[in-house]
Amino acid sequence: MSTYLLAFVVGELEYIEAHTSGKHNGRAIPCRVYTTPGKSAQGQFALDVAVQVLEYFADVFGIAYALPKLDQIAIGDFEAGAMENWGLVTYREVALLVDAASTSSRARQQVAYVVSHELAHQWFGNLVTMEWWSELWLNEGFATWVGTLAVDHVFPEYHIWTQFLVDDLQRALALDALRSSHPIQVPVRRSAEISQIFDAISYSKGGSAIRMLSSYIGLDSFFRGVRAYLQKHKYANASTQDLWRALSDASGVDVNEFMAIWTRTIGYPILTVEELPGGTQIQVRQNRYLSAGAVSDDEDQVLWWVPLRVATPGSDAQRTTDVLTTRNATVDVPVGTAKWYKLNQDTVGIYRVKYPPGAVANLATAIAAGELEVNDRIGIIADAAALASSGHSNTSDFLTLLRAYRNETELVVWQEISLRLDVLQSVWADEADVIDKIRALTQSLFSPLAKRLGWDAAAGEDSLNSRLRALAIRYAGCSGDSAVVAETKRRFAAFFDGDRSVFNTDTLRAAFVVAVRTGGREEFAKVQEYYLDAANPVDQQLAALSSMGFTTDPELLDELFEFALSDRVRNQDVHQAIMA
């Protein structure tokens, strides 16, 4: 057992307890959630997740949980979000506790994911420990991927693999497009360097690389290799090479030959597509992608292994053998007869794609007609925005493509669009006339959505629709929709007069943002008061704190900075106040 996994907790605590079924562990594992007094009931959701996920991992890993018990504990002040100490997993309260009546659906989903991520470490990290910190991604990248897999198993209604595209893949692509990025496997020569690699490269790019690999060789082969790896190296240390060997043996594919490129080099490619005469082929060229745009010859030496996954109308989703390993390649695609074609089907690969204008127009028509799956719609708009930002295409191309999404119904697609519009606003922050036009565009996209969804949940509505409503209200209101602003103010006043039913757990944050953004000192003070009330759920307190950062009053912003750095805000939460 590695010493970094040992933990003791001493304090006045209470707990709730349950047992796993024992179906795959061979015995029922007692699981407890510990909290400070009065909060143990809020640990029920995390406890329910834990007893299911422990059995799921014992099944897919082929090895029973190694210890006789599993404890989880919520700690008020905790530097990390969570820590996988063997048998005693520690969490911030917001990462473990759920108030059944008041916690937002997004926070509930995050608790399910964090618990699953930490329990994955009980095998990947604890049972088999990385050889050295340069192999950190083996712990964190794998736990990111398999933690998501576990949530999808327990809560398929969350559609968390779609959320993964925004939370992890696009996050990784943004960081890895910088010259200052680093490889997934990075040399660590001294202890001071360790903390620097706990970032989106180790977690999100590492998890995305595992997703790309498992999709290519197939889940069955992938898990056969994982089981062999864990069995061979349990209670010992292992390296990335050990994992590649096990996966190669299980799949019959030389995994190291192509995955070493992804883990040992910085960055990822942009694929530029050219349609060849005759209408039956395309030429694909790969170059390194940088968000700064221009790439020097020295920076463009790597040739990545790129699964192309070309899709056309009616094509199946089975594994494709088209893989780009050279600078240029010609690929058979029925350009002349297919209504559209798309590379990177299901947005599995770690790369951007630049299409010719005609292909983009065809994809836009297909999106508007509802012919493309949600993951592909996310990938297309994300690539278009990134290429506009880096100068590989015009911003007008991205804005034109947005028209195809006016009838979009999926939450995560709208999340990606909203994030890209935020970036656009930040780029043009000093140009008032441009900002006005961007806000008008934002309003034209989100106001019809807010009007259609309304403020109140329909009977039997799922959590994704509830979150979509909140997103629409926030962006419509902040872009100046007078009807949304007026209704926000009315409900905001009623809420602080005692009618808590005017907001549900998801719309509360959106309403606070709009109220602070369009209001003044009174709204700011009320949201601050809500944050300081310890009786409110932790996630809603943090929602209030982050909402305060949306004020446009310079005097209130100064007060916010002073407040955030005072002892009234925990050090671990300071970023919530300034990230807006």
Side-chain angles (χ1 to χ4, degrees):
M1 174 179 175
S2 296
T3 55
Y4 80 93
L5 296 172
L6 180 64
F8 295 94
V9 177
V10 178
E12 185 179 354
L13 304 167
E14 60 184 38
Y15 68 87
I16 55 175
E17 183 178 43
H19 290 73
T20 71
S21 67
K23 179 179 179 181
H24 300 292
N25 278 295
R27 68 196 191 287
I29 308 294
C31 301
R32 291 180 176 181
V33 171
Y34 286 86
T35 70
T36 52
K39 296 183 178 180
S40 60
Q42 295 180 37
Q44 187 62 53
F45 178 76
L47 184 62
D48 292 342
V49 172
V51 297
Q52 294 180 75
V53 169
L54 269 188
E55 290 296 330
Y56 175 69
F57 283 154
D59 180 26
V60 297
F61 294 149
I63 297 176
Y65 175 64
L67 300 184
K69 58 90 177 179
L70 173 74
D71 293 330
Q72 301 179 97
I73 181 167
I75 299 173
D77 291 281
F78 189 55
E79 179 184 15
M83 176 61 206
E84 66 269 20
N85 315 293
W86 213 347
L88 176 55
V89 186
T90 46
Y91 301 81
R92 289 184 188 177
E93 288 185 336
V94 72
L96 190 67
L97 302 186
V98 168
D99 185 301
S102 305
T103 296
S104 69
S105 57
R106 174 59 168 150
R108 185 186 298 263
Q109 176 181 307
Q110 186 64 13
V111 168
Y113 168 72
V114 175
V115 169
S116 299
H117 181 108
E118 300 309 319
L119 297 193
H121 281 311
Q122 307 302 302
W123 283 263
F124 244 86
N126 297 9
L127 184 66
V128 178
T129 304
M130 56 193 171
E131 197 170 70
W132 181 239
W133 293 100
S134 55
E135 309 281 356
L136 174 69
W137 89 278
L138 271 180
N139 279 21
E140 301 303 348
F142 189 87
T144 297
W145 176 80
V146 81
T148 305
L149 191 72
V151 174
D152 186 58
H153 172 75
V154 178
F155 301 104
E157 67 273 19
Y158 287 172
H159 299 288
I160 196 167
W161 280 118
T162 302
Q163 189 75 51
F164 180 93
L165 298 185
V166 176
D167 291 352
D168 289 288
L169 177 60
Q170 297 303 325
R171 181 170 170 243
L173 291 175
L175 181 56
D176 208 30
L178 303 176
R179 286 189 168 91
S180 57
S181 185
H182 63 81
I184 292 175
Q185 284 180 268
V186 58
V188 175
R189 298 178 179 86
R190 57 186 66 89
S191 60
E193 297 174 347
I194 295 173
S195 62
Q196 298 176 30
I197 58 173
F198 280 83
D199 62 7
I201 300 301
S202 297
Y203 284 73
S204 298
K205 187 182 180 185
S208 297
I210 291 291
R211 177 173 176 255
M212 182 171 66
L213 170 60
S214 63
S215 176
Y216 182 73
I217 67 174
L219 271 182
D220 290 342
S221 295
F222 183 81
F223 273 118
R224 277 200 305 273
V226 166
R227 293 183 195 110
Y229 166 85
L230 290 172
Q231 190 65 46
K232 182 175 181 179
H233 300 285
K234 62 183 178 182
Y235 302 109
N237 300 94
S239 68
T240 299
Q241 289 300 109
D242 294 322
L243 178 60
W244 293 162
R245 275 192 290 270
L247 293 174
S248 297
D249 291 343
S251 65
V253 177
D254 188 350
V255 171
N256 180 69
E257 180 182 18
F258 53 85
M259 287 306 295
I261 300 170
W262 284 105
T263 60
R264 294 178 180 173
T265 59
I266 298 173
Y268 59 89
I270 173 176
L271 304 190
T272 302
V273 179
E274 178 187 352
E275 297 175 358
L276 299 180
T280 60
Q281 292 180 318
I282 60 173
Q283 181 174 316
V284 183
R285 177 181 177 86
Q286 65 163 301
N287 298 94
R288 184 180 175 188
Y289 174 81
L290 286 175
S291 58
V295 178
S296 69
D297 290 341
D298 289 343
E299 293 172 320
D300 196 19
Q301 297 297 309
V302 177
L303 293 177
W304 282 273
W305 174 89
V306 186
L308 295 178
R309 297 176 63 89
V310 181
T312 56
S315 62
D316 59 40
Q318 294 176 0
R319 161 185 163 187
T320 173
T321 56
D322 289 326
V323 176
L324 178 65
T325 58
T326 56
R327 181 68 67 188
N328 298 280
T330 300
V331 182
D332 292 335
V333 177
V335 176
T337 56
K339 292 170 61 179
W340 52 265
Y341 64 91
K342 181 188 182 292
L343 278 66
N344 201 11
Q345 184 180 23
D346 207 30
T347 314
V348 170
I350 306 174
Y351 56 90
R352 302 285 188 198
V353 182
K354 180 181 179 182
Y355 298 95
V360 174
N362 290 339
L363 286 170
T365 300
I367 290 167
E371 296 177 11
L372 290 175
E373 296 297 327
V374 59
N375 286 8
D376 290 317
R377 301 199 300 272
I378 293 169
I380 289 169
I381 198 65
D383 282 357
L387 297 186
S389 178
S390 62
H392 287 86
S393 64
N394 296 321
T395 302
S396 58
D397 296 338
F398 162 66
L399 298 177
T400 300
L401 182 60
L402 276 177
R403 296 175 182 172
Y405 289 82
R406 290 187 181 278
N407 296 320
E408 179 60 57
T409 59
E410 293 290 338
L411 164 70
V412 185
V413 181
W414 282 112
Q415 284 181 325
E416 183 63 31
I417 291 171
S418 68
L419 291 170
R420 298 300 174 175
L421 291 172
D422 286 345
V423 170
L424 205 58
Q425 286 207 57
S426 69
V427 170
W428 296 96
D430 295 328
E431 303 289 338
D433 57 332
V434 178
I435 288 297
D436 287 342
K437 291 176 182 177
I438 295 173
R439 286 177 179 163
L441 170 65
T442 303
Q443 189 177 144
S444 73
L445 291 168
F446 284 94
S447 288
L449 191 61
K451 184 176 181 179
R452 176 173 67 82
L453 294 171
W455 277 83
D456 301 312
E461 181 178 77
D462 65 26
S463 63
L464 298 183
N465 207 58
S466 178
R467 288 166 56 191
L468 179 58
R469 171 183 297 104
L471 186 75
I473 289 170
R474 171 180 163 178
Y475 277 86
C478 287
S479 62
D481 184 313
S482 57
V484 171
V485 171
E487 183 63 10
T488 299
K489 290 182 179 295
R490 185 190 74 78
R491 289 178 180 249
F492 186 85
F495 181 85
F496 283 100
D497 283 340
D499 183 5
R500 295 299 170 99
S501 67
V502 294
F503 300 135
N504 65 30
T505 57
D506 293 313
T507 56
L508 182 140
R509 183 186 192 124
F512 279 10
V513 167
V514 175
V516 170
R517 183 80 169 188
T518 60
R521 179 170 294 279
E522 180 182 357
E523 290 80 7
F524 183 88
K526 286 183 176 179
V527 171
Q528 183 180 44
E529 177 187 344
Y530 187 89
Y531 164 72
L532 291 171
D533 186 350
N536 293 319
V538 178
D539 74 296
Q540 301 288 27
Q541 286 181 280
L542 295 180
L545 180 62
S546 66
S547 300
M548 294 167 64
F550 282 83
T551 181
T552 57
D553 186 328
E555 185 176 328
L556 290 177
L557 282 172
D558 287 341
E559 291 180 19
L560 174 60
F561 278 112
E562 184 176 346
F563 174 71
L565 297 175
S566 72
D567 58 7
R568 303 174 83 187
V569 176
R570 289 171 169 160
N571 289 338
Q572 67 191 31
D573 298 329
V574 170
H575 70 284
Q576 296 278 355
I578 61 177
M579 65 190 296

